[in-house]
Amino acid sequence: MKKYILFDNDGVLVETELWYYQANKDILKTINIDLEFDVYQKIMIRGGTAWELALNKGYSIEEVDKLREKRDELYQHFLQTKDIEINGVKNTLKELSKKYKMGIITTARRVDFELIHKNRGIVDFMEFVLCVEDYERAKPYPDPYLAGLKKFNAKPSEAVVVEDSQRGLDSAFRANIDCIIVKNEFTKSHNFDKAKHFINKFEDLKELL
């Protein structure tokens, strides 16, 4: 019997992943590094960072940190100017909140998360939000979802995770939590063999759960 739902954020509750990739790509281009989409996907799946490419080219950690700051500024600009809403999310959460306790487990920085969700109303349905600062190791390690279970004082069998990426699925699987994958064009090349269920859109959760 499931009592708790743990949601990934980017690509599940809001459509932000493309813009994070674009921000990385645009800033890396300023130092003549072309961040190809397939390369980016492989890096993200294993929990790496696109800045490895700059370090491998001989750029120092200090130089990369400055570039990363520019990336963060550009990403936040995109968050404030692009349409990142996913249809049906709020209505679905409203329905699910009648039966389940819910939380968000994200690898986003807290500052970005708060900017994304300012006046959006999604977090109103959540018991808590855990961002990248709130656990030791990020996805694909199990730490984020184990931290979520601890917040609920729940057993893995009592919870379900909703994800859209292989990295997130691996994290849930390693935490021994069933995972539902919601279809997302951005992550369609990922390996989802470990998923318990698949849905075409977020609203389908109402019928599945």
Side-chain angles (χ1 to χ4, degrees), residues 7-125:
F7 293 98
D8 175 43
N9 180 59
D10 301 288
V12 172
L13 300 175
V14 284
E15 202 67 271
T16 49
E17 289 173 320
L18 172 63
W19 301 113
Y20 191 71
Y21 163 65
Q22 192 64 49
N24 279 283
K25 183 178 176 66
D26 288 354
I27 299 304
L28 281 169
K29 194 172 184 179
T30 66
I31 57 171
N32 298 314
I33 293 177
D34 182 20
L35 180 59
E36 296 179 355
F37 185 73
D38 290 347
V39 172
Y40 178 78
Q41 288 288 355
K42 290 176 182 176
I43 292 172
M44 291 298 104
I45 285 170
R46 62 175 168 79
T49 166
W51 301 104
E52 297 166 15
L53 302 178
L55 293 169
N56 292 341
K57 286 274 189 178
Y59 285 88
S60 68
I61 293 176
E62 290 76 18
E63 289 171 321
V64 167
D65 284 344
K66 290 179 181 178
L67 291 166
R68 196 192 299 263
E69 288 177 8
K70 293 180 180 178
R71 185 278 314 275
D72 292 342
E73 291 176 6
L74 181 56
Y75 179 51
Q76 291 194 349
H77 170 72
F78 287 151
L79 292 179
Q80 295 176 86
T81 57
K82 304 298 183 181
D83 180 14
I84 58 174
E85 185 172 343
I86 295 177
N87 290 334
V89 167
K90 281 184 67 175
N91 287 338
T92 301
L93 292 175
K94 185 177 181 180
E95 287 298 312
L96 293 174
S97 68
K98 298 173 183 177
K99 296 172 59 179
Y100 302 94
K101 289 189 175 181
M102 304 184 293
I104 297 174
I105 311 291
T106 178
T107 54
R109 300 183 308 154
R110 177 73 60 174
V111 63
D112 292 332
F113 183 89
E114 291 180 352
L115 183 60
I116 288 167
H117 287 281
K118 184 179 181 181
N119 302 322
R120 199 168 291 277
I122 287 174
V123 294
D124 296 345
F125 299 104

Side-chain angles (χ1 to χ4, degrees), residues 92 96 99 199 201-209:
T92 301
L96 293 174
K99 296 172 59 179
I199 54 175
K201 57 185 185 299
F202 192 86
E203 291 173 299
D204 293 344
L205 281 173
K206 289 185 290 187
E207 295 179 12
L208 179 62
L209 294 172

Side-chain angles (χ1 to χ4, degrees), residues 138-152:
K139 304 170 188 177
Y141 289 100
D143 304 34
Y145 285 116
L146 290 175
L149 289 179
K150 187 174 181 180
K151 291 285 284 186
F152 277 136

